[in-house]
Amino acid sequence: KWITLTGIFSYLVDQGDDAVVGRILGMSSLGLYQMAYKISNLLFTEITDVFSQVTFPVYSKITQDKERVKRAFRKTFLVTVLFVLPGAAVLFFFPELIIRVVLGEKWLGAAQALRILALFGSTRAIGGSVGPILFAFKRQDLAAKITFTKLFFLGILIFPLTKGYGIVGTSLAVLLASLLTQPLIWKSLKKVLE
């Protein structure tokens, strides 16, 4: 049941922002937002997905030795950060250039959203490194609570910020929901590894 709940909450988190942007701002804004989101998260989700697929079986085999899990997590976390931070920095400091090169001039309206979503993508990838440990220790309940918390914060923030600031506001809501969830992610990791 926890995996099902996590899947439902994840779907709502991943698709809710698009629904709100399309409903409040219209299709052209939705297109700009979706492009910014895809560019900002492509690198980060690929890194997180690969690491999750590799680390989950490893963590599952060594759960009886928490010190070994901690060492393995530190190494994985460091590699994740080393991949994510340079990519986030490039997206944050050069969003206009990246959009011009990748998409063309007509997409420049997505530049500010891309800058904010680059920060979101990096927090998502870094926080996502905790998921395989929670699943390896059979703590799917914690993963569901984390995802629900993110959905809760997103639900509170997305409407007023989108109405007030357009796709930049939506991007801020997504980033803030992710940042506000980070303490719970790291508290859950600590709880599992103690």
Side-chain angles (χ1 to χ4, degrees):
K1 75 178 179 182
W2 293 113
I3 292 174
T4 302
L5 283 174
T6 301
I8 291 168
F9 297 150
S10 292
Y11 178 81
L12 292 172
V13 166
D14 291 341
Q15 302 302 316
D17 53 348
D18 289 347
V20 170
V21 170
R23 182 89 173 160
I24 294 175
L25 303 176
M27 290 298 130
S28 61
S29 293
L30 176 60
L32 290 171
Y33 177 76
Q34 285 182 329
M35 270 308 153
Y37 191 94
K38 284 179 185 173
I39 291 170
S40 68
N41 280 275
L42 183 65
L43 171 69
F44 308 129
T45 53
E46 289 301 317
I47 290 169
T48 305
D49 289 348
V50 169
F51 285 169
S52 293
Q53 290 173 1
V54 171
T55 57
F56 171 67
V58 172
Y59 293 146
S60 296
K61 288 182 181 179
I62 61 172
T63 53
Q64 70 285 354
D65 186 353
K66 288 188 179 181
E67 285 306 312
R68 194 169 168 202
V69 173
K70 289 177 188 178
R71 286 193 307 275
F73 175 75
R74 283 187 207 113
K75 290 176 185 174
T76 304
F77 181 77
L78 180 62
V79 171
T80 302
V81 169
L82 289 174
F83 276 107
V84 166
L85 291 185
V90 169
L91 291 174
F92 183 81
F93 290 112
F94 306 108
E96 292 90 358
L97 176 63
I98 291 166
I99 288 176
R100 275 193 187 98
V101 170
V102 175
L103 302 172
E105 296 280 331
K106 66 180 181 178
W107 294 95
L108 282 175
Q112 291 308 314
L114 176 58
R115 177 172 278 141
I116 295 165
L117 290 169
L119 299 174
F120 160 69
S122 61
T123 60
R124 179 181 182 182
I126 291 169
S129 63
V130 173
I133 289 184
L134 298 181
F135 287 112
F137 281 93
K138 297 182 172 80
R139 293 306 309 263
Q140 294 86 347
D141 60 317
L142 295 175
K145 289 172 187 174
I146 290 166
T147 311
F148 176 77
T149 303
K150 190 175 194 178
L151 177 63
F152 174 78
F153 286 129
L154 184 62
I156 290 171
L157 296 167
I158 197 164
F159 290 101
L161 288 174
T162 301
K163 284 182 180 179
Y165 303 100
I167 62 171
V168 171
T170 308
S171 303
L172 281 170
V174 169
L175 173 61
L176 290 171
S178 183
L179 290 174
L180 291 168
T181 309
Q182 292 298 312
L184 181 58
I185 291 171
W186 299 106
K187 183 179 177 184
S188 298
L189 176 67
K190 185 177 178 184
K191 185 176 188 177
V192 165
L193 293 180
E194 280 181 347

